[in-house]
Amino acid sequence: MNAPSMSRSEQKREQILQAAKELFCEQGFPNTSMDEVAKLAGVSKQTVYSHFGCKDDLFVASIESKCLVHGVNQELLSDPLTPEVSLALFAKHFGEVITSPEAITVFKACVSQSDSHPKISELFYSAGPKHILGLLAEYLAKVSVIGDYQFNNPHHCAVRLCLMVFGEVRMRLDLGLDVSDLLDEREQYINDTVEMFLKAYKTI
């Protein structure tokens, strides 16, 4: 079954998001203007503002869309009856997001500009890490109600799982180091991580 085609407005919104992500990654948030985004997207500046009220909103939307592209969304964590399946999928998609070149570039830009432009880091954290942790914590709380697993502090548990998924790959990428020797074992590492995580919270 074919996916429904996007309306003209949706197509323009997607063009704007793609242009914004490209410019934010290449130039950083402070050096990217709405004029440049409009030009690269092939739309008017007024069109950009009609979809995204300001540059802050556009930056947040570009971060959120990156998560959606990789399947990290509320729909992924919708069934509390199958945490083994849902968390395995979440870890897989989340692992793809955090190791993507775009995510690494934006993260490094936020860190390097955190003193002069702390607002950028706040926007990035709210749209990315905080948003994902919220979705995961909410899901873990629902799983706890079923009774097979008990996550007494869902937020802390969500943080633990996400940081474990980061693994050595993300640590090396943040330092600009080669990770080719780790890629063959990456999938197994993530699967083992989810298994260990669930085992730790399994009720007896």
Side-chain angles (χ1 to χ4, degrees):
M1 187 176 180
N2 293 330
S5 58
M6 291 190 293
S7 67
R8 187 172 181 181
S9 176
E10 291 171 333
Q11 289 176 349
K12 287 187 176 182
R13 187 179 191 279
E14 186 60 28
Q15 288 171 217
I16 295 167
L17 277 175
Q18 291 301 324
K21 283 187 281 189
E22 183 177 332
L23 290 171
F24 285 141
C25 286
E26 288 181 356
Q27 304 177 172
F29 180 87
N31 300 320
T32 298
S33 69
M34 297 292 260
D35 282 322
E36 291 175 304
V37 172
K39 183 177 180 180
L40 184 59
V43 300
S44 69
K45 186 177 178 180
Q46 183 179 0
T47 299
V48 176
Y49 278 108
S50 69
H51 285 278
F52 306 95
C54 62
K55 191 166 74 166
D56 287 1
D57 292 344
L58 180 55
F59 183 70
V60 168
S62 67
I63 299 299
E64 291 176 342
S65 72
K66 181 66 179 175
C67 296
L68 292 174
V69 165
H70 284 277
V72 181
N73 53 51
Q74 198 164 18
E75 186 176 329
L76 181 67
L77 298 169
S78 61
D79 187 359
L81 294 174
T82 59
E84 300 84 1
V85 175
S86 296
L87 291 179
L89 285 172
F90 167 82
K92 176 182 181 294
H93 293 305
F94 178 66
E96 291 172 352
V97 170
I98 62 174
T99 57
S100 67
E102 298 93 338
I104 300 297
T105 299
V106 173
F107 174 76
K108 288 182 176 180
C110 288
V111 172
S112 66
Q113 299 166 5
S114 60
D115 289 335
S116 57
H117 297 84
K119 183 180 181 181
I120 304 172
S121 295
E122 293 174 6
L123 289 171
F124 174 78
Y125 183 75
S126 294
K130 185 178 180 180
H131 175 68
I132 291 173
L133 288 172
L135 290 178
L136 183 55
E138 184 178 337
Y139 176 74
L140 295 178
K142 292 178 181 177
V143 173
S144 291
V145 174
I146 305 299
D148 293 334
Y149 299 93
Q150 196 60 51
F151 303 99
N152 292 324
N153 189 320
H155 175 74
H156 286 175
C157 295
V159 171
R160 290 186 187 106
L161 178 57
C162 288
L163 289 179
M164 285 194 293
V165 172
F166 266 55
E168 186 179 359
V169 169
R170 178 56 193 259
M171 285 192 288
R172 284 202 205 173
L173 288 172
D174 283 343
L175 294 170
L177 301 177
D178 179 59
V179 297
S180 57
D181 61 313
L182 301 176
L183 297 182
D184 288 342
E185 298 180 346
R186 177 67 172 166
E187 183 177 353
Q188 188 61 51
Y189 169 81
I190 290 178
N191 290 337
D192 290 345
T193 294
V194 173
E195 183 179 346
M196 181 175 65
F197 175 79
L198 285 170
K199 191 177 293 184
Y201 296 99
K202 180 77 174 175
T203 55
I204 299 174

